[in-house]
Amino acid sequence: MNKKRAIIIGAGPAGLTVAHELLKKSDIEPIILEENSFVGGISATLDYKNNKIDMGGHRFFTKSQRVMDWWLSILPLQGHPSKDDVILNRDVELSSLKNAPNPEKTDKVMLKRNRLSRIYYLKTFFNYPVSLNMDTIKGLGLWRMFKIGCSYMKALVFPIKNEKSLEDFMINRFGRELYLTFFKDYTEKLWGIDCNKISAEWGAQRIKGISIIKVIKQMLKSLNSKKGEAIETSFIESFFYPKFGPGHMWQSVAEIIEKSNTPIKLNEKVTRLIKNENKIIAVETTDLNGKKNVYEGDIFISTMPVKDLIEVTNDIPTEITDIARGLMYRDFRVVGVLLNKLKLKNTTQVKTINNIVPDTWIYVQEREVKLGRIQIFNNWSPYLVNDFENTVWIGLEYFCNEQDKIWTDNDDDFIKFAIDEAVKIGIFEKDDVLDSYTHKVKKAYPAYFGTYDKFDKIKEYVNTIDNLYLVGRNGMHRYNNMDHSTLAAMKTVDLILGNIKDREEVWSVNTESDYHEDKKECINS
């Protein structure tokens, strides 16, 4: 009897996880089709002259023990200090397992890293998530803090009923004044649209664990915390991270898959799905030379953007096509800048190499620039930076649409623009720039506006196609973290193999009431 074949569209975290799980748990033969020349999707790691760029910053943290165990089966936790741990004489929790890897001697290793993300506003650092401490009071001033307190009390007593927008969601949890101070401008940089036009569901999925009450509780809890207690992901103080960035994880998974004689077809863009009644029977791709290839299969798993999937599939009802065409996305552009040093000063108690600021991410709230976030790659992993003891390697992150000037500018012009913005707000001096590079990512963030309010109709229709499964951030049009995509992929394989019966178990990952199978702090496991 011939084995079943699964055609997997996309070699990002979700697609690679599906292939790995199918190979491990069944005799189904997967084939992976990937439009890009690399694996990992938005979780790939780019390399520019041995300086590596993590596109968007990917912390390996999860409330799912299943996902954590899976990650560590691919890249086990370090059993010896990393290069910067040694230089700084820094205590780090190491794996006690026998033969746990040494990051100085092997590449197949997961590091444990300290997390510090702050907001940069009024050329001052504020904690992220916002914390109610003396630094915040000093930075904002007593009058602003008074207004924040009053507006929060008003939100408690007179909350907005029937939250319709992200603005309603945030005001109810933080009060209008704090929302205007720390959330509105950054969120509108991210999405390019007023917060009152974004669905409240985005807040329910991305910041559901944070409010002023939660901030106060977390402050008190951190003073008397017990190892292993559950905490919201926005409050975590440490995380796991592959030695060479997130792409290192997904390249490692791809290597395992290819050793099983499973093809990963790069540079093949899916240009047609052939449907016959309630089944997909084949996928057509086009390569860089314009050559078309057809792949027949029994099972089809798509991680490609839903908008594109519906567009290239035949015999789709007009209503579904119209909704899909109205789905919207935000695109992403990063500028990597190699520096002699930063202008920002480290005023924290955290030790760093050359005393650079210890942040992994910096959220830029300054209103006079379009710059959204800054990553300092030295702090993610010393192995991301070619000469990490003498240079600083950062990523300036921008959010845009394909028709925006941020996207359409040629590389040289945009790099100059980004550097000028960073200099303007005091991040570094222009004379300290050694080198630079830029990269663009289409459809990085599925948006919760446009026709998103009708997305359930697409989901219901796709569920009637017996052998088609949607998974991943763009596949499900959901702003998932990497662990959500991994878990949804695992549950999709469970569904294909008959271990679960309801597709809703896949769709329930990263919804407001889900994700409770294991709430303990997996980093401490």
Side-chain angles (χ1 to χ4, degrees), residues 362-375:
I362 298 171
Y363 297 90
V364 179
Q365 184 73 7
E366 304 291 13
R367 292 168 184 171
E368 68 266 34
V369 296
K370 295 182 183 297
L371 176 62
R373 261 186 337 216
I374 302 168
Q375 283 193 79

Side-chain angles (χ1 to χ4, degrees), residues 126-154:
F126 296 88
N127 285 356
Y128 177 84
V130 177
S131 59
L132 305 178
N133 57 24
M134 285 308 298
D135 288 339
T136 305
I137 295 169
K138 230 190 301 185
L140 292 177
L142 287 174
W143 174 240
R144 218 186 236 120
M145 287 299 296
F146 175 74
K147 290 197 295 181
I148 285 170
C150 289
S151 71
Y152 179 65
M153 292 306 297
K154 180 180 177 182

